[in-house]
Amino acid sequence: MKKLCVWAVAALLMAACTPKAEKATDSGLLQSNFQMEVNGKKTDLYTLRNKNNMEVCITNFGGRIVSVMVPDKDGQMRDVVLGFDSIQDYVSKPSDFGASIGRYANRINQGKFTLDGTEYQLPQNNYGHCLHGGPQGFQYRVFDAVQPNPQELELTYVAEDGEEGFPGNITCKVLMKLTDDNAIDIRYEAETDKPTIVNMTNHSYFNLDGDAARNEAHLLTIDADYYTPVDSTFMTTGEIAPVEGTPMDFRTPTPVGARINDYDFVQLKNGNGYDHNWVLNTKGDVTRKCATLESPLTGIVLDVYTNEPGIQVYAGNFLDGSLTGKKGITYNQRASVCLETQKYPDTPNKPEWPSAVLRPGEKYMSQCIFKFSVNKN
């Protein structure tokens, strides 16, 4: 009897010392795969969850949304954004997947702008232009993270004067809140100690089918009568052109793939498909829906709201099958749609457009809401 008790105690001690298998998130992510050091700062994975069991996973590396689990029309939970399974993949496979983009989202012509009589030269990392803040923009920086409750995450990054050529020390905050009506409410804030330019956005690649197949059948609606044309280097020409009578007209729900290959229309040829900024009719009213993306397959609907004047729609034209994402899925061309709320591209060189200038004593504030629902029809 005494021998049996000794064996029982030994078995309990072994069980207590044996590491438990790590529990994955609903989207299949392991937190340990996101815990490493990048440029001397620790990265991690943070999970937001609301009362409906919607789940959003975020890493402080680049302030990236890694996964978004939402219910489809049959109640099945689906991950509707592209991304990677580990920080190592995000580091070794440079991308904008899910990132908080800054200091300036989109393109600045030849990487140059003049502010208060001083000309600044930025990195030229895209057809001679500065794209998304340069090759070491915010998407490759580690933010400080605080999670005050299960539905909110506060990310902070301090960009130094001269970083990627931009003037001013700026303190940037990205506040992400998962609401109980299945919306991801993203608020960007920034303050500076000298005049600078700021234009932040979220670069999530959405596929509402949840399988990263082609986006051609996704229905897109944009509340915009005008857009900003681009040249063959993807730079805005300065024109604001009507969508009427063109493949750029999404004022009623239209499949993304319905006209995307109409390369007789020079803008689609220039953009290799849709990679353009639309001039929103909502004019900064965050209570008005500015765009909608819907999957006829799953019934998942994404409504977008913003206080920004524009939205860049990018249809994954340059995905080419070279990247393998979460769960071993290959990301082929046009496997997603990006809906980036922001100032117009190259605004610093086009003074007639809404300004991106931030001065000491002012606070930059931008808001984007991604609200999910289901169409069961």
Side-chain angles (χ1 to χ4, degrees), residues 32-91:
S32 59
N33 287 337
F34 289 83
Q35 295 172 327
M36 63 179 286
E37 274 198 11
V38 177
N39 297 325
K41 298 190 70 174
K42 292 183 178 180
T43 64
D44 211 336
L45 185 72
Y46 303 85
T47 301
L48 307 183
R49 190 183 303 277
N50 67 10
K51 68 178 183 180
N52 307 313
N53 282 324
M54 178 178 166
E55 178 195 83
V56 178
C57 293
I58 303 157
T59 177
N60 60 325
F61 177 68
R64 295 170 183 264
I65 294 176
V66 180
S67 64
V68 177
M69 295 289 285
V70 293
D72 66 12
K73 61 185 177 183
D74 299 317
Q76 178 183 343
M77 301 298 286
R78 294 180 182 258
D79 186 357
V80 295
V81 296
L82 277 55
F84 296 121
D85 290 317
S86 70
I87 287 296
Q88 187 57 52
D89 279 348
Y90 281 106
V91 172

